[in-house]
Amino acid sequence: MKIVDSLYQYDLQMLLWCNRSRQKTLHCTLAKSISKTGDGFLQVLLPFTLLLVGPANSLDYFYHTALAFAVQMPLYWFLKNSLQRRRPPEVIPTFESIITAADKFSFPSGHSSAAFLLANITFIFYGAVAWPLYVWATLVALSRVALGVHFPTDILAGALLGTATAFLICFAI
């Protein structure tokens, strides 16, 4: 139990450190904008665009991406609703998030999971051209902490879930 308590204290301190300067208008606007890009639009647009443009392996990429999301989404919802980790404003009495999350629980981060799933599948299929997607996925994940709707371990778990799902679908199937 001491390890869990230590992890929780570290997680709490990282959240508070990330949110110290969140009252700055530019910071909030930027975090909101980045977070919105992780709402799912790019995860649908990119596979469809590549399918239409027709680079090598685009049909395979499209199918693997669709299958990966079909596996990741139920896993994500199962974990989130089974573990039921409360969001930062519910745990920290004086803490207020900048936005209101769409659902009640925070672990794992769905935005982080979906963003890293897309980045990893794109990397597996197209190599180094996917590096900007890793930067984007990282920014999406960090924006969720900056907005106060996730703890750092939520985004880490989401990133690991998305990455594991991508590799499972691409290399085990």
Side-chain angles (χ1 to χ4, degrees), residues 78-97:
F78 174 77
L79 287 170
K80 186 166 269 209
N81 290 302
S82 296
L83 299 172
Q84 298 185 355
R85 182 180 196 183
R86 295 180 301 155
R87 292 191 180 272
E90 294 179 19
V91 175
I92 307 164
T94 60
F95 186 85
E96 291 182 31
S97 61

Side-chain angles (χ1 to χ4, degrees), residues 11 15-16 18-19 22 27 31-32 34-36 39 76 80 85-92 95-112 139-155:
D11 210 23
L15 171 76
L16 295 174
C18 288
N19 283 280
R22 65 190 193 126
H27 176 257
K32 285 180 188 177
I34 292 168
S35 179
K36 274 215 172 296
D39 284 352
Y76 153 77
K80 186 166 269 209
R85 182 180 196 183
R86 295 180 301 155
R87 292 191 180 272
E90 294 179 19
V91 175
I92 307 164
F95 186 85
E96 291 182 31
S97 61
I98 294 169
I99 62 170
T100 302
D103 58 12
K104 188 175 179 179
F105 304 117
S106 71
F107 186 90
S109 165
H111 279 75
S112 301
L139 291 173
V140 167
L142 292 174
S143 75
R144 304 300 287 170
V145 175
L147 293 171
V149 292
H150 282 290
F151 290 99
T153 51
D154 299 341
I155 64 169

Side-chain angles (χ1 to χ4, degrees), residues 35-64:
S35 179
K36 274 215 172 296
T37 67
D39 284 352
F41 181 71
L42 186 61
Q43 289 89 332
V44 173
L45 182 65
L46 184 62
F48 273 111
T49 301
L50 290 178
L51 186 61
L52 293 174
V53 173
N57 300 329
S58 61
L59 185 59
D60 239 7
Y61 171 79
F62 181 84
Y63 285 137
H64 278 82

Side-chain angles (χ1 to χ4, degrees), residues 151-170:
F151 290 99
T153 51
D154 299 341
I155 64 169
L156 179 61
L160 291 172
L161 175 62
T163 299
T165 304
F167 278 86
L168 173 75
I169 295 302
C170 290

